[in-house]
Amino acid sequence: SAWIEVAGLRVLFDTGQGPAFAANARSLGVDPSHADMIVLSHGHFDHSGGLTLASACAPGAPVFAHPDSLGPRYAVRNGAAQAIGMPAEARAALEAHPAGVRWTSEAMQLADGVGVTGPVPRLTGYEDTGGPFFIDPEGAHPDPITDDLALWVRTDRGLVVIAGCCHAGLVNTLRQAMKLSGEPRLRAVLGGFHLGEAGEARLAETLCELRSLGPELIVPCHCTGAAAVQRLAGELGERVVPGFSGARFRFGADRGRA
């Protein structure tokens, strides 16, 4: 999860798996009750599990989420299915949230220079959802993870994109954010890129596109995969800064990483 402050707006982006949410917020000096809105990148448990606490902390902050975030989800490996959808307790909290839910079945602008991508068009031929994801435990019906979205912020030095897992593909996500924002300069991209199971062809194409798009800062987080992070850093150099809990970043004309 990420806490975003921009132009007086305070956004809680995702809520983590749940148990670490409150303790991490206290450690960082963040008061979730001050959130103006909660944005859910997708319905997997490790992004939505903290909704119970988030809803209780910020009952007046509307939640922005795609309707498909409530659906059944499974990861099926070697014939074994693991339920990875939104936990029942978090689902109940979302459905009963006092400020309500604003369903993001399309792109939305949250404030001047701040928006969410909504469903990301799958335009590249080499990107996929990043793993063996299904909507049934038998693994017969692939999950396209249509609820996957990212948040974008225009700054005076270019666009900052905050992603959850990029199940729609990192390149697809960046292109969609740049199109919606009208900002051709890419200041930074932060979040999970889901490249842990990516083959050589996808990694090579992704690196080629990142060189072309030219982000000043790339912050790969939890689901990117250690080997992929090493590859990104090896080929793109110091602009790649692995993310971690407690990292802080400030963006603007005279600001850099903190």
Side-chain angles (χ1 to χ4, degrees):
S1 62
W3 180 259
I4 301 159
E5 297 183 3
V6 52
L9 184 70
R10 293 160 295 195
V11 182
L12 176 62
F13 183 79
D14 281 344
T15 64
Q17 188 167 328
F21 178 81
N24 283 356
R26 285 194 299 270
S27 295
L28 288 167
V30 169
D31 186 348
S33 69
H34 293 165
D36 296 303
M37 59 185 66
I38 300 167
V39 176
L40 188 65
S41 69
H42 62 300
H44 283 165
F45 74 98
D46 50 343
H47 294 256
S48 64
L51 273 172
T52 308
L53 285 170
S55 176
C57 288
V63 177
F64 290 78
H66 191 282
D68 289 351
S69 63
L70 297 172
R73 332 297 284 265
Y74 299 89
V76 182
R77 291 181 171 87
N78 300 318
Q82 176 189 4
I84 59 172
M86 186 182 298
E89 188 178 69
R91 181 197 301 267
L94 179 64
E95 293 174 341
H97 186 59
V101 182
R102 300 185 186 178
W103 299 110
T104 55
S105 53
E106 58 185 23
M108 299 179 67
Q109 189 143 336
L110 306 179
D112 185 28
V114 183
V116 291
T117 60
V120 175
R122 316 295 169 96
L123 302 178
T124 60
Y126 54 87
E127 294 186 293
D128 54 43
T129 56
F133 302 116
F134 299 87
I135 61 174
D136 65 304
E138 294 76 27
H141 302 286
D143 185 357
I145 316 184
T146 50
D147 50 327
D148 181 79
L149 60 80
L151 184 144
W152 55 265
V153 179
R154 279 199 310 266
T155 76
D156 48 13
R157 285 182 52 184
L159 191 67
V160 174
V161 180
I162 301 97
C165 273
C166 285
H167 286 295
L170 172 58
V171 174
N172 284 329
T173 300
L174 293 176
R175 287 179 176 173
Q176 175 73 347
M178 295 169 79
K179 176 183 176 181
L180 292 170
S181 66
E183 173 56 72
R185 300 169 300 160
L186 190 54
R187 176 70 178 90
V189 54
L190 308 86
F193 302 158
H194 239 293
L195 295 171
E197 298 188 32
E200 173 58 30
R202 178 176 179 179
L203 284 173
E205 292 276 10
T206 300
L207 282 161
C208 181
E209 190 68 22
L210 285 173
R211 291 190 192 95
S212 176
L213 294 173
E216 296 180 30
L217 179 66
I218 301 169
V219 183
C221 297
H222 83 126
C223 64
T224 304
V229 172
Q230 186 176 18
R231 177 75 176 273
L232 289 169
E235 300 205 22
L236 298 174
E238 293 183 355
R239 74 174 82 179
V240 177
V241 178
F244 56 89
S245 295
R248 296 174 184 261
F249 299 89
R250 297 184 178 91
F251 300 102
D254 301 309
R255 299 187 180 198
R257 179 163 50 94

